[in-house]
Amino acid sequence: MKLAVRSFWRSLRIWRVVLLLLARLWWDGQAFTYIGGITEQRRLRRSQRLAQWLVETLLALGSAFIKLGQLLSARPDILPAAWVEELARLQDRVPPFPFSQVEQRLEKELGPRCQEIVEIDAEPLGSASLAQVHRARLRSGRDVVLKVQRPGLEFLFRLDLVVMAQVAALLQRHPSWGRGRDWVAMAKECQRVLLRELDFRIEAEHAARFRQQFLEDPQIRIPAVVWELSSQRVLCLDYLPGIKITNREQLIAEGIDPTAVAELGATSYLQQLVRFGFFHADPHPGNLAVAADGGLIYYDFGMMGQVSPRLRRRLGAMVRAAALRDAAGLVQELQQAGVIEAGIDPGPVRRLVRVMLEEALTPPFSGEILQRISADLYDLVYGQPFRLPVELIFVLRALSTFEGVGRSLDPGFSLVAIAKPYLLPLMTSSGSGPSELFNDLSRQAAQVSTRALGLPKRLDEGLARLEQGDLQLQIRAGESDRLLRRLALSQQLSGQAVLLGALAIAAAVLAAGARPALALLPGVGALPVAWGWLRLSGRIARDLRLDRLS
């Protein structure tokens, strides 16, 4: 009974937040709510305020919604850029739970193996929504940290995920919000990812795989997993203390060169992406530290990213096209890799890619180029028929986050400049050897031969249509079409405004007559006209915003 009541009130609280968010979205989308008229700057300010409110609300709702916000920060195709930026800064810092519960959890999960722990600090090193970390010492003298999951977390997670699925089904049925988006599929994917976060055995596997990548590099430190003291809800790792990577003053005091640390971190990240394809997806300053000898330490392996083999296979061709500043060729490679949908107009994408290439490849290299590129991509994909895979968004977000860390160490830090030596091998080879090069040449020859064989038939069909008078030349001027459509909408808006004015005058005349109650008739008739006028105003405002993005 108690669990049922708890579930009811929890569901009610979540639905209250959802309905309040939808109401605020509707209000912010109406032109008449902006005193003095709607402008892009005013709309952006409201969007930022709503995003900040959303982040605070997710923090208040707890673990599952904090993780949901972090996942949604990788979806600029469904959220505005202001929301993505706010959610990307979402950090789950919550008060610790009592040490007595830590001891109970260890006893329950590890059983007799707890006897190997001879000393454990009651004060946690850190506390988050999923777990908290305690320093300990083993019977062998090994210093470790124990990551212990919060009690009762799985019940709350599963309850929240059920409500999330209900919310997704509601959004999917909405005529506007559901168009072009599969909210139900996204809810299922979030459920899969979030439930994996509860299993610390998966994080242990991530840590072990990540450590294996850098075994031959003594400057990169990843804590080893103590498997015999790890379980589904407890993770035991080696204790690797260090200086917080953004503490530049302490680094200098310890005789460590901050510029060298920034370059070491950039090098390690490029190796993760280009060489291994398995990377740390959350490199914020809390997850990075510097050892006493200047080595780089990574923490927290719950959020890791992976570059798919399909994207990696085409990476060489993409880099070559970028080096040649061939925007059209790069867009074609991105389409073939599935980064951009094949059936869309590539014009806006080509224009953006051309500008990005000019900025990224023209010295001197700007220290904020990756952040600007990420912002341009977010503006491009939101509300448009373009698709960026989550893996690529995680790559961009991780790189831009680390670029900010690098600039805190060295104001002249540029990840793009450091990346060149790692990208040169990709520019000279599209694969791992001569066989891959031969396969690439064979594919290109097959494409050319197919087009050549089909050319006579296409010419014959074109000439036949020309003889029969069926061949038509259609010229479409996109800017003219938009102006004509906006002009038509403006005429409708003016007509409805005139009609509203006439109805208001009629109501005033009737109200002053012998039977003032008749004034209600034009008032009632004015309601649907006023509603249509508001909808047209909102449509014109949306068209103006889309024009600015295209």
Side-chain angles (χ1 to χ4, degrees):
M1 182 65 181
K2 185 182 292 185
L3 289 179
V5 172
R6 184 183 175 189
S7 301
F8 171 77
W9 285 110
R10 178 68 178 177
S11 301
L12 192 64
R13 182 184 179 189
I14 296 171
W15 275 107
R16 175 183 172 275
V17 170
V18 171
L19 294 177
L20 184 57
L21 175 62
L22 296 180
R24 291 189 63 170
L25 283 171
W26 177 86
W27 179 262
D28 290 348
Q30 305 305 312
F32 72 89
T33 65
Y34 292 83
I35 300 174
I38 184 172
T39 64
E40 183 66 20
Q41 194 173 20
R42 291 173 179 172
R43 187 194 61 81
L44 182 59
R45 278 201 301 267
R46 279 199 186 183
S47 182
Q48 289 173 340
R49 285 198 298 267
L50 184 56
Q52 291 167 359
W53 171 85
L54 179 62
V55 168
E56 294 171 359
T57 303
L58 293 177
L59 283 169
L61 286 175
S63 307
F65 286 91
I66 291 172
K67 294 298 178 183
L68 175 66
Q70 293 173 343
L71 291 175
L72 289 177
S73 69
R75 296 304 303 266
D77 53 335
I78 63 173
L79 295 178
W83 290 35
V84 170
E85 292 174 4
E86 287 294 330
L87 290 172
R89 289 193 281 267
L90 188 61
Q91 300 296 326
D92 47 352
R93 296 284 182 260
V94 297
F97 55 91
F99 183 66
S100 59
Q101 296 182 0
V102 173
E103 294 178 313
Q104 293 173 8
R105 173 70 78 185
L106 292 174
E107 288 285 347
K108 182 179 180 181
E109 290 293 318
L110 303 180
R113 292 174 289 170
C114 280
Q115 297 176 3
E116 292 296 319
I117 305 172
V118 296
E119 183 183 339
I120 181 171
D121 291 347
E123 189 70 22
L125 294 175
S127 179
S129 59
L130 288 184
Q132 63 189 39
V133 178
H134 291 261
R135 183 182 176 183
R137 176 166 291 180
L138 305 184
R139 191 179 301 277
S140 62
R142 188 176 183 179
D143 288 327
V144 298
V145 292
L146 292 164
K147 184 176 181 179
V148 184
Q149 192 174 112
R150 286 182 173 271
L153 190 64
E154 187 170 351
F155 167 77
L156 194 62
F157 245 64
R158 294 188 180 278
L159 173 62
D160 290 349
L161 290 172
V162 170
V163 181
M164 287 181 197
Q166 296 170 352
V167 174
L170 174 68
L171 293 175
Q172 196 64 55
R173 287 194 293 267
H174 193 277
S176 298
W177 296 327
R179 189 185 305 120
R181 298 182 177 97
D182 194 345
W183 292 103
V184 175
M186 282 188 279
K188 290 180 180 178
E189 177 64 16
C190 287
Q191 181 178 11
R192 184 188 68 82
V193 173
L194 292 176
L195 289 178
R196 284 171 61 90
E197 289 258 1
L198 294 179
D199 192 346
F200 287 172
R201 294 171 297 187
I202 297 176
E203 183 175 347
E205 293 172 0
H206 288 168
R209 177 180 175 183
F210 195 63
R211 186 170 186 267
Q212 188 72 26
Q213 293 179 169
F214 292 101
L215 278 179
E216 298 178 359
D217 190 344
Q219 288 294 93
I220 305 299
R221 318 283 170 77
I222 294 95
V225 180
V226 184
W227 293 100
E228 59 270 19
L229 294 178
S230 298
S231 68
Q232 184 176 355
R233 297 179 180 86
V234 174
L235 176 61
C236 185
L237 300 168
D238 276 342
Y239 175 60
L240 296 181
I243 305 168
K244 190 173 182 179
I245 194 169
T246 52
N247 193 343
R248 194 171 188 272
E249 292 76 12
Q250 188 175 352
L251 290 175
I252 295 173
E254 296 290 334
I256 301 173
D257 183 8
T259 302
V261 173
E263 292 180 357
L264 176 62
T267 300
S268 72
Y269 242 91
L270 292 166
Q271 286 179 333
Q272 294 170 44
L273 296 171
V274 177
R275 182 180 174 189
F276 304 117
F278 184 69
F279 62 96
H280 197 293
D282 194 20
H284 65 78
N287 289 337
L288 297 168
V290 183
D293 61 353
L296 185 64
I297 306 172
Y298 283 92
Y299 302 129
D300 194 350
F301 310 98
M303 188 178 293
M304 304 295 289
Q306 189 162 351
V307 182
S308 67
R310 181 184 184 188
L311 190 57
R312 292 182 67 193
R313 280 196 300 267
R314 305 213 66 88
L315 188 58
M318 294 179 194
V319 173
R320 285 196 299 274
L324 295 172
R325 302 190 185 185
D326 180 8
L330 181 56
V331 170
Q332 184 178 2
E333 292 294 337
L334 291 171
Q335 285 181 324
Q336 292 179 3
V339 175
I340 304 172
E341 293 182 5
I344 64 167
D345 178 16
V349 187
R350 275 198 300 266
R351 289 193 293 271
L352 174 63
V353 168
R354 190 174 295 111
V355 172
M356 288 163 53
L357 291 178
E358 287 295 330
E359 290 190 3
L361 301 179
T362 303
F365 301 106
S366 170
E368 300 179 357
I369 179 62
L370 283 174
Q371 287 187 350
R372 291 210 305 272
I373 287 175
S374 299
D376 290 341
L377 282 174
Y378 293 168
D379 286 340
L380 177 67
V381 299
Y382 175 62
Q384 302 293 325
F386 307 137
R387 178 186 63 209
L388 289 177
V390 174
E391 58 182 350
L392 183 60
I393 299 299
F394 272 124
V395 169
L396 286 173
R397 194 178 73 175
L399 287 176
S400 61
T401 301
F402 189 83
E403 191 178 45
V405 173
R407 284 201 309 275
S408 70
L409 295 169
D410 177 14
F413 174 80
S414 172
L415 190 58
V416 173
I418 298 174
K420 276 197 166 184
Y422 293 89
L423 300 180
L424 284 174
L426 295 174
M427 294 166 58
T428 57
S429 174
S430 62
S432 57
S435 59
E436 183 63 29
L437 179 61
F438 178 77
N439 291 336
D440 192 21
L441 291 173
S442 301
R443 284 192 295 268
Q444 293 183 22
Q447 291 175 358
V448 172
S449 61
T450 301
R451 292 177 181 176
L453 290 174
L455 187 59
K457 181 179 178 182
R458 294 172 64 186
L459 287 173
D460 184 61
E461 290 177 351
L463 290 172
R465 292 177 63 188
L466 183 62
E467 291 175 354
Q468 297 168 6
D470 293 334
L471 189 65
Q472 297 179 354
L473 180 63
Q474 183 177 5
I475 300 175
R476 181 181 177 184
E479 186 64 28
S480 300
D481 289 346
R482 285 194 294 269
L483 289 174
L484 288 173
R485 184 175 64 252
R486 196 177 303 148
L487 181 60
L489 292 175
S490 299
Q491 289 177 344
Q492 293 181 34
L493 198 67
S494 301
Q496 290 181 347
V498 171
L499 182 57
L500 280 173
L503 290 171
I505 293 172
V509 171
L510 291 173
R515 303 177 64 182
L518 293 177
L520 292 175
L521 295 178
V524 172
L527 290 177
V529 180
W531 175 247
W533 183 84
L534 291 175
R535 292 185 61 184
L536 276 176
S537 300
R539 185 175 175 184
I540 291 175
R542 285 194 297 272
D543 285 348
L544 288 171
R545 290 199 299 270
L546 291 176
D547 285 348
R548 293 189 186 100
L549 292 177
S550 61

